[in-house]
Every structure is written in C-alpha cells, then in structure tokens.
C-alpha cells in the first residue's frame, strides 16, 4: 500500500525529495511543512502546511496526515518529534536529530564513539574562552551550538583582542569552541542506512567553499586511495553508531598531516550530494526515500564524474531575476523555483557531467568557462 510522506521543510532539498517521491509507487502523496507560502516543494506538486518548522500544532497535524515523516532541515523540534514518534514513523530518529542539531552534543557523541574530530570545548563565559585560547592556541573557532548554517554561527578568533566582539556577536546563545583545523581539503561522504540496517556510502567528494558557503563539489574527490579509505571507514562507523534510517551528509577535513577528521554531520540529504542526480544510478534523494521506506538501497557508484556548481544570488540585488546559462548536453541546470534572488542564497545548481570521459581537468576548465557565461540578472 502506498504511503503519505510528510517532510519538515519544503526548500530545495524538500523539492528534490518530492520529485524523487513522485517516481516511487510506494508514495502516494507528499505534504511539506514550511513557513514560506508556495515554497519550492509546492512548485513541483507537494501539498503544504504553512507554519514554522518548530510549530508543535503544525507538526502534530502533519503527523496526523502522514504515514511516515522525514525532514530536510536540522532545526526541527526534536522534542515534539519525539512525542509523535509514538504513533508516526520518523526517520532519521528524533534522538539522532537531537544530538546532531546541537554541535556540542554532536562532537561529544563522536568523541565518545572514538570517531576522529578536532579538539573542542563548551564555553559559558569570557573566562572560559580565555582559558581555552591558552589551552588550544589561536586561531580558534567560536561556534554557536544550534541553528547555524553556511558558517553563520562561526567566528574565527585570531587574537585575544577579538574576544569581546566575538562574544557580543553571539550574545545570549549557547557556545562552544573548536581548535582551528589547518586543512588541505574539505571532503564529504553521503552515507545511508535503511530501516533494515543495510548501509551504503557514496564515493568521497571534494568540496570547495567560498565565504563559508559550499560553492563547488567535485565528484569523485581528488584524494589518495588512503584518504578515500579513511573517509569511508569513518562514514561507515558513524552510520553504525547513529540511530535511525536515511541519508546523512558527513563533512570532513583532510588535514595537512593526512588525517581525516569529521567537521560535522547533517542528518539529511546534503548539498554535496546533488551531483548524484546525474552522476549515479540512484540519486541521494531516491536513496533517502528507499532507506526510510525499508526498501533495498540502490547503486551508489559514480557512473560519470561530475562537478556541481551552486548558483548563489548575486550580492548586487534582491528581487525577481532571470538566469542565463549556456546550453550543452552535459550541462544540467536545476533552479529551485525561488521567486526572489537574495544575496548569497542558493537559488539553483548546475551539474557538469563528464559524459565523454574527458577527465577532471577538462571538466574543471568547462566549469571555469561556464562561470564566466552564467548570468543572474534582475528581471
Ligand atoms: P560549519 O558550519 O561549522 O560546518 O562551518 C562552515 C565552514 O567553516 C566549514 O566548511 C569550514 O570551512 C570552516 N570550519 C568549521 N569548523 C572549522 C574548524 N574547526 N577548523 C577550520 N575550519 C573550520
């Protein structure tokens, strides 16, 4: 019997989950809970409850209308989800969400399970911050524990003179510090477990950030076999200790000493997995649904090397926009249906696919060419 799927969040991830769900006969209807009227998921056919992600009544209503619930954001209300878990299946599990959505709990959990991470500590006041700077050295990252994304909750402290500014910026928020990792590369692994316990990982990819925002993903990543193996082992171990089913995006650093450390985990489909829409037989979106529905997991190998380039709203304007993108049979443009472009917000992505086996260097130069020709302009 086919099921009604409830998704907390109807942004671009909810939209691509909706599209994948529409191709599965196991799902009959998709309902998203999102505060933005006519959000991206609704544009492709999902129904919507318009409410804040943390609204208890709205989550309750979603659970009454759905057979199974998942989420595309980590800022959901894990306490409310825990309550409704008694009568509606939710994956990944609310307990896992509770751990992951608090960066401090997440790091403590990883440490307790002997998964490699950078040194970290809880910070409650200026004195403790000073002590940690003395212990860990500078630079140091001051992080808000919750509700931060695209680096918005991070402050890199380079000298003790910046302490007051850093604490003022995050005044009233729970904080932690992390030793600054001098990394060679940022990589990630999309990992998935289904409700029966089967685990699959996608090949390691390489991520390039600009101003803390993911800009480019190179799939597969240009890393040694040894690093690949380490990253895959870390991802598998993480999946074994985290509860619940679904796709997880596991972000990692490759240090200058060739160590692999986890930066953070997202309990959801992940921007660095968008390449799978064209590079793999089973996209991360379909895979997530297969996992939470208890179906067999699909093939996660990369058929075609692919570079994913995020389209961000230009800094120069906010409002309705047009996109001019070169057309070629290996260029796949995916816009998220957002009415307005806002500075530095993700409005779409492009997958550039190596269908003709040209090699990564040629593909990278195609991306450089594409960047010059891509135009986002006011309507
Ligand atoms: P986050 O939102 O915590 O994942 O951080 C966003 C970006 O900040 C990461 O992709 C890294 O580029 C950088 N970052 C986060 N934590 C650290 C760290 N401990 N050392 C160095 N860079 C970091």
């Amino acid at each position: 019997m086919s099921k009604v799927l409830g998704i907390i969040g109807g942004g671009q991830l909810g939209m691509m989950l909706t599209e994948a769900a529409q191709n599965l006969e196991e799902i009959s209807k998709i309902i998203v809970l999102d505060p933005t009227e006519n959000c991206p998921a609704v544009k492709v056919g999902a129904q919507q409850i318009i409410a804040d992600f943390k609204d208890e009544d709205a989550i309750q209503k979603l659970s009454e209308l759905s057979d199974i619930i998942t989420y595309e954001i980590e800022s959901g209300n894990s306490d409310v989800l825990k309550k409704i878990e008694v009568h509606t299946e939710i994956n990944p599990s609310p307990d896992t969400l509770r751990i992951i959505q608090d960066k401090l709990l997440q790091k403590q959990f990883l440490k307790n399970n002997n998964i490699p991470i950078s040194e970290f500590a809880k910070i409650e006041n200026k004195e403790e911050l000073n002590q940690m700077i003395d212990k860990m050295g500078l630079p140091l990252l001051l992080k808000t524990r919750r509700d931060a994304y695209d680096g918005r909750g991070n402050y890199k402290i380079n000298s003790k003179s910046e302490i007051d500014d850093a604490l003022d910026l995050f005044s009233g928020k729970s904080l932690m510090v992390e030793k600054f990792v001098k990394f060679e590369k940022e990589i990630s692994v999309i990992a998935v477990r289904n409700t029966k316990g089967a685990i699959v990982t996608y090949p390691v990819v390489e991520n390039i950030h600009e101003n803390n925002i993911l800009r480019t993903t190179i799939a597969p990543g240009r890393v040694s076999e040894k690093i690949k193996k380490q990253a895959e082992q870390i991802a598998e171990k993480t999946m074994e200790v985290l509860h619940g089913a679904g796709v997880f995006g596991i972000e990692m650093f490759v240090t200058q000493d060739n160590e692999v450390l986890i930066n953070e985990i997202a309990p959801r489909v992940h921007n660095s997995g968008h390449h799978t829409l064209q590079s793999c037989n089973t996209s991360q979106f379909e895979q997530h649904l297969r996992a939470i529905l208890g179906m067999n997991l699909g093939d996660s190998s990369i058929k075609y090397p692919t570079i994913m380039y995020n389209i961000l709203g230009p800094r120069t304007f906010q409002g309705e926009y047009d996109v001019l993108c070169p057309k070629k049979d290996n260029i796949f443009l995916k816009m998220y249906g957002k009415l307005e472009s806002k500075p530095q917000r993700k409005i779409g992505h492009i997958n550039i696919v190596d269908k003709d086996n040209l090699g990564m260097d040629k593909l990278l130069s195609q991306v450089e060419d594409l960047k010059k020709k891509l135009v986002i302009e006011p309507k």
Side-chain angles (χ1 to χ4, degrees):
M1 228 190 55
S2 62
K3 294 183 168 174
V4 177
L5 171 71
I7 309 175
I8 299 180
Q12 61 263 28
L13 302 179
M15 174 185 115
M16 291 182 270
L17 282 170
T18 297
E19 289 171 325
Q22 288 163 339
N23 289 325
L24 290 178
E25 57 189 30
E26 288 77 3
I27 296 172
S28 57
K29 189 170 30 170
I30 303 112
I31 308 171
V32 297
L33 188 163
D34 195 286
T36 309
E37 201 172 343
N38 229 345
C39 60
V42 170
K43 296 245 171 70
V44 297
Q47 297 184 11
Q48 182 177 13
I49 296 173
I50 302 173
D52 188 85
F53 305 120
K54 297 187 185 183
D55 182 322
E56 182 159 357
D57 290 342
I59 298 173
Q60 191 67 42
K61 185 169 167 206
L62 183 69
S63 77
E64 283 158 19
L65 297 171
S66 311
D67 298 305
I68 177 162
I69 287 185
T70 190
Y71 41 89
E72 56 119 54
I73 42 143
E74 52 266 56
S75 59
N77 189 332
S78 56
D79 294 336
V80 177
L81 290 179
K82 182 92 193 133
K83 276 194 238 163
I84 64 167
E85 187 184 32
V86 179
H87 53 82
T88 308
E89 201 180 334
I90 302 168
N91 267 306
S93 89
D95 284 331
T96 295
L97 177 63
R98 191 184 60 82
I99 294 169
I100 289 182
Q101 66 187 183
D102 181 331
K103 287 186 185 187
L104 179 72
L105 293 186
Q106 185 187 139
K107 290 278 149 84
Q108 283 167 341
F109 175 83
L110 293 171
K111 187 175 175 197
N112 293 341
N113 284 288
N114 294 317
I115 294 172
I117 46 169
S118 172
E119 204 179 333
F120 67 95
K122 180 178 175 184
I123 289 293
E124 301 226 304
N125 51 47
K126 187 171 170 180
E127 198 190 336
E128 286 181 5
L129 180 53
N130 256 306
Q131 283 167 2
M132 278 306 143
I133 291 176
D134 293 339
K135 184 164 175 250
M136 294 182 189
L138 288 167
L140 197 71
L141 272 184
L142 181 67
K143 293 188 170 186
T144 58
R145 286 170 53 181
R146 300 172 73 95
D147 295 338
Y149 63 96
D150 288 344
R152 277 161 212 248
N154 293 355
Y155 192 114
K156 185 176 171 198
I157 301 178
N158 293 299
S159 88
K160 280 198 171 182
S161 64
E162 292 172 348
I163 288 180
D164 287 333
D165 282 352
L167 288 173
D168 278 355
L169 182 69
F170 299 142
S171 139
K173 301 203 163 146
S174 325
L175 301 174
M176 63 181 288
V177 280
E178 248 177 55
K179 196 177 163 99
F180 189 80
V181 179
K182 292 193 185 109
F183 55 80
E184 281 287 323
K185 271 191 176 154
E186 292 193 72
I187 58 173
S188 59
V189 173
I190 302 295
V192 56
R193 185 181 43 230
N194 72 8
T195 51
K196 295 181 182 130
I199 294 173
V200 160
T201 57
Y202 283 85
V204 176
V205 300
E206 189 177 337
N207 297 318
I208 298 162
H209 292 78
E210 286 170 22
N211 303 314
N212 282 317
I213 302 173
L214 179 66
R215 198 67 211 247
T216 310
T217 293
I218 300 173
R222 298 164 301 168
V223 291
S224 67
E225 284 304 316
K226 196 170 156 229
I227 295 290
K228 265 185 212 164
K229 217 177 212 158
Q230 272 188 61
E232 270 161 26
Q233 280 170 355
I234 289 173
E236 274 167 23
K237 183 161 183 199
T238 306
M239 294 307 288
E240 279 158 19
V241 295
L242 279 174
H243 291 291
V247 159
F248 292 76
I250 307 176
E251 299 174 23
M252 306 176 199
F253 298 123
V254 179
T255 69
Q256 289 173 343
D257 306 324
N258 273 330
E259 251 190 306
V260 178
L261 307 176
I262 288 194
N263 169 31
E264 67 176 6
I265 302 171
R268 53 168 171 78
V269 284
H270 192 257
N271 195 171
S272 72
H274 291 0
H275 68 91
T276 60
L277 283 168
Q278 270 77 39
S279 66
C280 297
N281 279 329
T282 316
S283 76
Q284 63 164 347
F285 304 101
E286 177 184 339
Q287 197 76 287
H288 179 70
L289 299 171
R290 300 182 77 85
I292 63 174
L293 290 165
M295 296 165 68
N296 289 335
L297 296 175
D299 176 14
S300 63
S301 61
I302 291 184
K303 277 190 307 173
Y304 303 110
T306 294
I307 297 175
M308 191 272 328
Y309 179 68
N310 268 339
I311 305 176
L312 304 182
R315 291 178 192 276
T316 45
F317 78 95
Q318 169 160 349
E320 289 185 41
Y321 60 98
D322 279 324
V323 182
L324 308 175
C325 177
K327 288 195 170 60
K328 262 179 135 183
D329 65 0
N330 73 330
I331 294 180
F332 294 83
L333 172 70
K334 183 89 186 160
M335 295 307 295
Y336 302 150
K338 296 181 181 174
L339 210 57
E340 281 207 343
S341 167
K342 292 183 187 161
Q344 296 291 285
R345 293 305 299 272
K346 294 166 190 163
I347 53 174
H349 74 258
I350 303 173
N351 279 341
I352 302 100
V353 182
D354 191 4
K355 285 192 163 167
D356 299 324
N357 227 348
L358 299 172
M360 204 45 101
D361 287 344
K362 287 244 164 62
L363 210 59
L364 280 162
S365 64
Q366 280 190 15
V367 174
E368 287 312 310
D369 188 47
L370 178 82
K371 283 187 201 171
K372 287 184 204 131
K373 293 178 180 152
L374 180 74
V375 181
I376 317 292
E377 57 183 19
K379 214 171 197 164

